[in-house]
Amino acid sequence: MPSTSQCRVCGDQVTEFFDFGRQPLSDAFHTPGFDFEKEFFFRLAVGLCQGCTMVQLMEEVPRDNMFHEEYPYHSSGSAYMREHFEGLAKRLLATELTADDPFVVELGCNDGVMLKVMAESGVRHLGVEPSGGVADVAAAKGVRVRKSFFEESTAKEIAAEDGRADVIYAANTLCHIPYMESVLSGVRALLKPTGVFVFEDPYLGDIVERTSFDQIYDEHFFFFTARSVREMAARNGLELVDVERLPVHGGEVRYTLAPAGERTPSQAVADLLRDEAESGLAEPATLQEFGRKVTVIRDDLTGLLRRLKDEGKKVVAYGATAKSATVTNLCGITPDLVSFVCDTTPAKQGRVTPGTHIPVVTPDTFAADYPDYALLFAWNHADEIMAKEQAFRDAGGKWILYVPDVRIV
Ligand code: SAH
Ligand code: TMP
Ligand code: ZN
């Protein structure tokens, strides 16, 4: 019997469709001297709500275990993502923030990659960011930050102190928050009637289409679709008025919600809802098939890495992504199969990967002695990384990819 849990959006029954087994915190890069007896693990499994069709994790990890002073992810680490967020900021300035003295709030502003543009444009703004280390980096860029988790109480305090917002924005953050009812009542309390709540997160449609199962890890609690977001919005006095597909992070959707009845939903909403219905996206059979494909990738990838090891090849990995925790722990990829992972993030270097304890090194170590193969964990940044590391290929090196299937390029 598959396990069940209670939906964090509508309270109906969630039925599990895939179990990744015992998994660590995806961003817990411990130092080699850490007492690994104390390493945190939980059961990572994912299910579908029979009521509102929201796909979600079966177990919740306490938020303070994930988002704290040492949260290592820095959004500005990718040039492509910097451009993406700067473009979005400029668009918001030209469309939603044209009234007198507009006010924009960002949830999970991280190192200030988006709000920096608002600060430089002299627009009234506030970032809400619980992870102290990255919040300090944002503040150093001139961004106004409040170090807290966004929820109903925070939203009411902000509204009392700063007034209501024209735009509330969240990138790769809403899907991190299981306590959705509190967040959406907060959004309602903080948003002007004419305002919009814009958020972008990995899209279940892309995850299923590409079998990008490594989008599933502790921090990603929800996997949205237009249908489940529309339902979630409606339950909280909001309405889904626009959607836009984005190429970033392996495929995302940017959703725009407005207070119910304030704006006319765009044609794009109807189109995406229709596509989802036609493809049977959030249906049990589709998700079972997704699970079957995950086991094929798992077996192909472990088979390939074992064969390369037997052949005496040198294999390393590139990008100590949060996503890769799911891959390495599901497939049992330890330092005997992949000798190190290189990553540009100082907060990850000199540490080891969660659960599988592969050393994280600087990209210089990669370049000092090119391996035969590099397993690309940061596949969502493939274009940027492969261009930058052309010398590796020139030296005869090959990349290993595993989404949508295992292949060497
Ligand atoms: N927006 C950035 C960062 C995404 S990482 C980007 O797209 O690159 C997710 C961020 O959400 C982390 O910085 C984390 O600290 C923050 N976060 C987690 N829970 C939150 C909450 N309840 N309110 C606001 N931010 C939260
Ligand atoms: P992400 O997939 O969650 O954005 O994480 C990407 C990780 O890859 C992050 O730890 C930074 C790292 N990275 C590199 O090491 N080199 C690069 O060129 C890029 C774009 C990312
Ligand atoms: Zn539900």
Side-chain angles (χ1 to χ4, degrees), residues 178-365:
Y179 36 101
M180 188 58 83
E181 215 181 308
S182 172
V183 167
L184 293 183
S185 9
V187 165
R188 253 193 358 245
L190 180 56
L191 200 61
K192 284 184 189 164
T194 50
V196 282
F197 177 34
V198 180
F199 59 95
E200 55 193 73
D201 287 284
Y203 178 49
L204 183 71
D206 290 304
I207 294 174
V208 167
E209 193 184 313
R210 302 175 192 196
T211 322
S212 43
F213 65 97
D214 54 352
Q215 291 285 11
I216 302 169
Y217 55 90
D218 57 348
E219 294 172 20
H220 288 175
F221 189 85
F222 289 116
F223 301 89
F224 299 135
T225 63
R227 178 168 169 199
S228 61
V229 166
R230 187 179 61 159
E231 181 88 21
M232 169 178 102
R235 299 182 73 86
N236 289 278
L238 297 163
E239 190 171 7
L240 176 61
V241 296
D242 198 21
V243 289
E244 180 186 355
R245 294 190 77 154
L246 305 173
V248 299
H249 290 312
E252 300 206 331
V253 169
R254 180 179 288 155
Y255 304 91
T256 302
L257 310 188
E262 291 289 337
R263 296 198 187 195
T264 309
S266 69
Q267 184 59 37
V269 174
D271 291 348
L272 193 56
L273 286 167
R274 192 202 53 231
D275 289 353
E276 290 176 357
E278 280 174 7
S279 67
L281 176 55
E283 280 173 19
T286 306
L287 298 170
Q288 300 288 347
E289 174 59 12
F290 163 80
R292 197 193 59 76
K293 288 185 182 158
V294 175
T295 59
V296 171
I297 293 179
R298 178 195 65 196
D299 295 347
D300 287 354
L301 185 58
T302 35
L304 173 64
L305 294 176
R306 290 212 186 101
R307 178 167 68 75
L308 294 175
K309 184 192 173 179
D310 290 345
E311 290 171 5
K313 302 289 194 224
K314 181 178 174 193
V315 183
V316 309
Y318 205 107
T321 57
K323 292 187 288 295
S324 66
T326 299
V327 183
T328 58
N329 286 278
L330 179 72
C331 302
I333 302 173
T334 44
D336 61 320
L337 294 179
V338 162
S339 39
F340 63 73
V341 189
C342 77
D343 195 287
T344 48
T345 313
K348 296 181 182 178
Q349 294 159 356
R351 295 175 173 246
V352 299
T353 59
T356 45
H357 310 160
I358 306 169
V360 183
V361 302
T362 63
D364 289 350
T365 310

Side-chain angles (χ1 to χ4, degrees), residues 15-18 20 44-48 55-58 216 223:
T15 304
E16 181 182 314
F17 61 83
F18 195 78
F20 292 88
L44 177 69
V46 65
L48 168 70
V55 169
Q56 58 201 280
L57 296 191
M58 303 303 294
I216 302 169
F223 301 89

Side-chain angles (χ1 to χ4, degrees), residues 88-106:
L88 181 271
K90 286 183 186 140
R91 200 213 285 185
L92 287 177
L93 285 171
T95 54
E96 299 291 340
L97 296 170
T98 53
D100 217 24
D101 188 27
F103 178 42
V104 53
V105 176
E106 185 180 43

